[in-house]
Amino acid sequence: MSEPAHEVVAKVHREEWARIVASLTRRFGDLDIAEEAAAEAFAVAVERWPADGVPPNPGGWLTTTAGNKALDRVRREAKRGDKQKQAHMLDHQLSGPPDPTGAIEDERLRLVFTCAHPALAPEARIALTLRMVGGLTVAEIARAFLVQETTMAQRITRAKAKIKAAGIPYRVPEAADLPARLDGVLTVLYLVFNEGYLASSAEADPVRADLTGEAIRLTRLVAGLLPDEGEVAGLLALMLLIEARRPARVSASGELVTLDQQDRGAWDRTLVAEGHALVRARLASGRPPGRYQVLAAINAVHTDAPDARATDWSQVVALYDQLLLLDPSPVVVLNRAIAVAELDGAQVALALVDALAGDLDGYHAFHATRADLLRRLGRSPEARAAYDRAIGLAGNTAEAAYLTRRRDELAT
């Protein structure tokens, strides 16, 4: 039985939105026009496909429709200055030769590097790429940066305005451009992976294997392009070791299963072995590790233990100490405190966590960590309040279900 038309539209939206928007942006030189034209094309599909049937090539149909919508808009604005000339040029471009691929064959990865333009501020660059290529919503991007949705929307708007005002071209990067854009590209791939591994929106599936799989695929391609870059290998190892645990991450009832409670026999041992091999290779290189390599080493310690009780927590804390030298962010301090709780007890860890209240009050994991530590200390009323705050901030339905159960198990 064929899929219902609305499900096909949703599926194609996930797979094709970023490609269409980025292609139109390069063609028309205007991100706003590209996004609006793509949105109009998908709206037409939602209206027509249930009645007319799904076309044989849905992605091609949407690309053509979006291109026509964008061209119509440019023509409508033809009275302004040289827009008429631009419209004629675009007429030819629609049937012209394909865009050059530069040093990168894969289209989606090429778009990631293209959007990582050094003329933009790093956060704006990353946010734009997540929106255009990762297909994430503004709300999802805001949660990734731990800022308000309105703040992120303003950043993206300002970045678009700078692109337009400065005439920054969406040029396909050459091989010499890749190293300078690598940090931003790796950040984008990591954030896309994180959104897939634990979706931040209640409207999305708790775990989005499409995003984690695509992030891993693209990171493998980057590793092939830049085989001597240790941070690429580190990020790939990190993704593999986290992805290996995905089969045990959510219970049959749809509740998050924490690392200490997961069935380790369900982990993908092939991915674990590959991740461990990458970590060992980086250690053997003798080069100072970067952030992703240290994160991968932490996950290697976790996945090396046959059960949670056998985890080498002193090694985990030592690695977090090393990570703090590279990334002294409140989130790293929070994660280190979780490990400290296993070594020095909940009271010591709680003092470390409480010191982060000013930085992480809007972060659900901060309140979830406090709630667990307070529960261990027998401070049930405070733990309940912390669980309530965490549940209110958690967008992931599986995580909210887990936190709700833990709260309801507290002694009254």
Side-chain angles (χ1 to χ4, degrees):
M1 181 181 295
S2 60
E3 292 180 276
H6 69 278
E7 292 184 6
V8 176
V9 174
K11 179 179 179 181
V12 176
H13 186 284
R14 289 194 300 271
E15 296 176 350
E16 298 287 338
W17 168 267
R19 182 188 64 79
I20 292 171
V21 170
S23 177
L24 292 178
T25 301
R26 292 198 310 275
R27 180 181 295 165
F28 292 86
D30 192 308
L31 179 56
D32 290 328
I33 289 178
E35 287 190 322
E36 290 174 13
E40 289 180 26
F42 278 99
V44 172
V46 170
E47 179 181 348
R48 291 187 184 175
W49 290 5
D52 299 346
V54 178
N57 181 3
W61 187 96
L62 285 163
T63 299
T64 300
T65 302
N68 290 336
K69 294 287 184 184
L71 185 57
D72 287 344
R73 176 170 171 177
V74 172
R75 284 170 171 162
R76 287 196 299 269
E77 298 177 0
K79 294 180 181 179
R80 300 180 184 178
D82 61 350
K83 290 287 186 179
Q84 184 67 55
K85 179 180 178 181
Q86 183 182 5
H88 285 304
M89 292 174 60
L90 293 171
D91 255 331
H92 295 294
Q93 290 178 8
L94 287 173
S95 57
D99 294 327
T101 62
I104 307 169
E105 292 296 328
D106 183 83
E107 180 176 24
R108 188 169 288 257
L109 183 60
R110 190 162 66 246
L111 298 179
V112 176
F113 272 98
T114 299
C115 293
H117 199 289
L120 296 174
E123 286 193 352
R125 190 188 316 160
I126 291 165
L128 269 179
T129 312
L130 288 170
R131 183 77 186 93
M132 291 177 60
V133 183
L136 302 189
T137 65
V138 174
E140 290 168 342
I141 298 168
R143 284 190 284 269
F145 281 91
L146 302 183
V147 299
Q148 295 294 319
E149 184 175 348
T150 53
T151 301
M152 183 52 65
Q154 290 169 357
R155 287 183 187 175
I156 293 175
T157 299
R158 285 196 296 267
K160 290 179 181 178
K162 180 171 182 178
I163 288 171
K164 186 176 296 186
I168 297 173
Y170 283 88
R171 181 179 62 82
V172 178
E174 300 297 333
D177 299 324
L178 303 187
R181 302 188 182 197
L182 182 60
D183 286 348
V185 168
L186 295 184
T187 300
V188 166
L189 296 178
Y190 185 42
L191 292 175
V192 170
F193 179 86
N194 281 345
E195 180 61 29
Y197 190 67
L198 192 65
S200 62
S201 171
E203 287 74 39
D205 292 335
V207 175
R208 297 180 59 184
D210 59 326
L211 288 183
T212 59
E214 181 67 356
I216 290 172
R217 184 185 74 83
L218 294 175
T219 305
R220 288 190 187 279
L221 292 176
V222 178
L225 286 168
L226 300 166
D228 296 327
E229 292 287 348
E231 279 292 79
V232 180
L235 179 57
L236 179 57
L238 174 62
M239 288 180 177
L240 294 175
L241 292 172
I242 297 175
E243 179 73 357
R245 306 199 300 264
R246 181 166 56 84
R249 179 69 163 169
V250 178
S251 70
S253 63
E255 183 179 306
L256 181 74
V257 181
T258 54
L259 179 60
D260 61 309
Q261 296 296 318
Q262 288 176 15
D263 174 10
R264 301 190 176 211
W267 291 355
D268 187 326
R269 288 295 163 184
T270 300
L271 294 182
V272 170
E274 184 181 358
H276 283 186
L278 287 168
V279 170
R280 287 194 298 270
R282 295 315 310 160
L283 290 173
S285 72
R287 300 176 189 170
R291 173 171 173 260
Y292 296 119
Q293 293 169 73
V294 177
L295 284 168
I298 291 170
N299 278 269
V301 175
H302 284 301
T303 51
D304 190 50
D307 56 58
R309 291 170 299 181
T311 303
D312 186 348
W313 288 107
S314 61
Q315 176 76 351
V316 173
V317 171
L319 287 167
Y320 271 118
D321 289 339
Q322 187 173 4
L323 182 60
L324 280 172
L325 299 175
L326 301 168
D327 179 16
S329 68
V331 172
V332 173
V333 176
L334 177 68
N335 289 330
R336 179 184 178 277
I338 295 171
V340 167
E342 302 301 323
L343 280 181
D344 301 326
Q347 189 65 55
V348 174
L350 182 61
L352 297 173
V353 171
D354 282 344
L356 301 171
D359 294 311
L360 299 179
D361 184 61
Y363 184 38
H364 76 279
F366 165 75
H367 296 283
T369 301
R370 280 196 80 244
D372 183 64
L373 294 172
L374 290 164
R375 178 191 60 79
R376 294 194 208 183
L377 293 169
R379 295 160 60 176
S380 294
E382 294 171 86
R384 185 179 302 277
Y387 275 123
D388 286 340
R389 179 73 168 138
I391 293 165
L393 291 170
N396 188 280
T397 55
E399 190 167 17
Y402 163 75
L403 293 170
T404 300
R405 178 176 62 80
R406 296 292 279 176
R407 180 198 63 190
D408 294 345
E409 290 174 346
L410 288 169
T412 56

